[in-house]
Amino acid sequence: MRRRGAQFWLWLNKRLPVKTYEDVLNDGRQIEVQARITLEGMTQVFIGIYDASGGAMFEAFSDRGFREPLASALKWGARRARELVLETEPFVAPHRAQLTLSPLITDEAVLALRRMEMTDSERLKIKASDAQAEYHAAHSAMLELMRSTTSVDPLVWSEHRERLRQAIDRRVWVQRGYLLSTKSSRVEDNSPHEKGNH
């Protein structure tokens, strides 16, 4: 039983028929995507992510476009839901368990701009650019510390090492997200019902 949040009740309109996609992850988290077309012809998508006990972790809905096919809207919603799940997962490297990475962007104005509607590829491109810039900055800071002629405070050394570790892991995390996204796109592009009969 899912415990719905405010966004779901704002979304709910029993007069409009919906198409639904649902999935349950290995850890019990649940993904729900609904798509509908309003009386005015606007295609809308609802994305809900719920924990194993049914509590709402994320709910949101948005307009997709005028009379976008429901199948296409559901695919977008499922892809976006997987991306949201991936963004909240801690990265686990093969050699050791990692803690969740600390936020890279903390400026509220920048974060507000990042929350605007963007395509998946634009979002991934920004993340990759941020991760690359932070890696170079952390790498340069560590090199400068190593070249220091004076003794280094152990706390300072630990902070620089942790920053570099997170920068490396962040780059891998972004690449992993990109590979999952492109793999998902290729699978959907090659699905039989999308190919025309020649």
Side-chain angles (χ1 to χ4, degrees):
M1 187 71 179
R2 290 175 185 151
R3 297 188 298 280
R4 306 292 194 173
Q7 288 297 305
F8 175 81
W9 299 114
L10 287 172
W11 156 265
L12 190 63
N13 185 339
K14 294 184 177 180
R15 294 178 299 169
L16 298 176
V18 298
K19 293 280 188 182
T20 303
Y21 164 85
E22 294 184 329
D23 195 8
V24 178
L25 306 181
N26 292 336
D27 61 4
R29 281 180 296 176
Q30 306 161 45
I31 291 174
E32 179 183 20
V33 180
Q34 294 183 12
R36 70 187 182 196
I37 298 178
T38 67
L39 298 176
E40 295 77 22
M42 177 64 68
T43 300
Q44 297 178 321
V45 177
F46 169 84
I47 298 173
I49 302 172
Y50 303 88
D51 61 27
S53 64
M57 299 174 66
F58 174 89
E59 289 182 338
F61 59 90
S62 59
D63 294 340
R64 285 291 300 158
F66 188 72
R67 295 205 178 277
E68 178 181 349
L70 292 181
S72 172
L74 277 178
K75 282 183 183 177
W76 175 85
R79 196 162 52 236
R80 179 70 185 124
R82 287 193 294 270
E83 184 179 87
L84 288 165
V85 168
L86 186 63
E87 287 177 353
T88 60
E89 281 184 341
F91 171 73
V92 179
H95 57 288
R96 66 190 188 282
Q98 300 295 313
L99 300 174
T100 303
L101 296 175
S102 60
L104 185 55
I105 305 296
T106 56
D107 187 297
E108 282 301 322
V110 175
L111 287 172
L113 290 172
R114 295 292 172 85
R115 292 188 188 109
M116 293 172 60
E117 185 72 22
M118 289 187 292
T119 65
D120 293 342
S121 60
E122 287 171 336
R123 193 176 292 109
L124 285 169
K125 187 174 181 181
I126 286 176
K127 286 182 181 177
S129 176
D130 288 345
Q132 188 70 14
E134 169 61 9
Y135 167 74
H136 283 304
H139 184 261
S140 297
M142 179 58 90
L143 281 178
E144 185 176 338
L145 195 65
M146 292 171 69
R147 291 171 181 152
S148 174
T149 55
T150 59
S151 62
V152 177
D153 186 318
L155 182 60
V156 173
W157 175 265
S158 177
E159 288 174 351
H160 277 68
R161 184 179 61 187
E162 176 63 15
R163 180 187 179 191
L164 182 58
R165 182 192 67 76
Q166 287 211 9
I168 293 169
D169 287 344
R170 185 176 283 107
R171 283 205 322 174
V172 175
W173 181 87
V174 170
Q175 185 178 24
R176 175 175 173 244
Y178 174 76
L179 290 174
L180 285 174
S181 173
T182 54
K183 181 180 178 182
S184 173
S185 298
R186 285 198 301 270
V187 169
E188 289 170 358
D189 290 344
N190 293 328
S191 57
H193 66 275
E194 290 187 354
K195 293 184 177 180
N197 296 323
H198 300 291

